[in-house]
Amino acid sequence: SSGINAEYGVAAVRDLTVGFDSNYADKKPRLPVCPGSHMITFSFENGCIATLRTSGTEPKIKYYTEIVRGPGALESEEELRMELGEVVDAIVKELLQPEKFGLKPRPS
């Protein structure tokens, strides 16, 4: 098996557009639901969290990512940055599919 779920393990999904949160038994989010928000958060088993949302004023998709480790984590900051970068690359490739949908990264 391949793909982002096989590689990193999706632990939870929260979709504030439709009002779904797999973190809770009742599957209802504790944050406000907004049908126009188009905001989905993925939590991965390795501690990565990625929130994807559409811009309300521009034709773009934004994403915010972080990686969380507890006190005493053995990885260096550089190792964590590399791991987070790998997850971001997988998210862009598999979920956003820029080639298929003609998406372009912002200019550097």
Side-chain angles (χ1 to χ4, degrees):
S1 179
S2 64
I4 197 164
N5 190 37
E7 183 75 21
Y8 300 104
V10 176
V13 176
R14 178 179 61 221
D15 185 340
L16 295 178
T17 310
V18 299
F20 174 82
D21 192 334
S22 67
N23 285 296
Y24 300 102
D26 65 3
K27 307 298 185 213
K28 296 182 188 288
R30 301 313 188 251
L31 295 173
V33 174
C34 179
S37 71
H38 303 113
M39 187 178 330
I40 301 174
T41 300
F42 296 90
S43 299
F44 297 93
E45 291 173 0
N46 67 349
C48 289
I49 300 168
T51 298
L52 293 83
R53 71 173 183 86
T54 56
S55 172
T57 58
E58 301 172 285
K60 60 168 95 170
I61 299 170
K62 298 180 177 188
Y63 60 86
Y64 308 89
T65 59
E66 63 183 308
I67 188 166
V68 179
R69 292 289 204 275
L74 302 177
E75 302 93 344
S76 68
E77 182 178 337
E78 182 179 337
E79 290 170 318
L80 292 174
R81 286 183 187 275
M82 287 178 52
E83 184 174 352
L84 182 59
E86 291 170 3
V87 174
V88 168
D89 290 345
I91 289 168
V92 169
K93 180 180 178 185
E94 188 172 328
L95 299 181
L96 299 180
Q97 302 178 30
E99 294 82 15
K100 180 177 180 180
F101 296 109
L103 303 175
K104 298 179 181 159
R106 68 177 176 182
S108 319

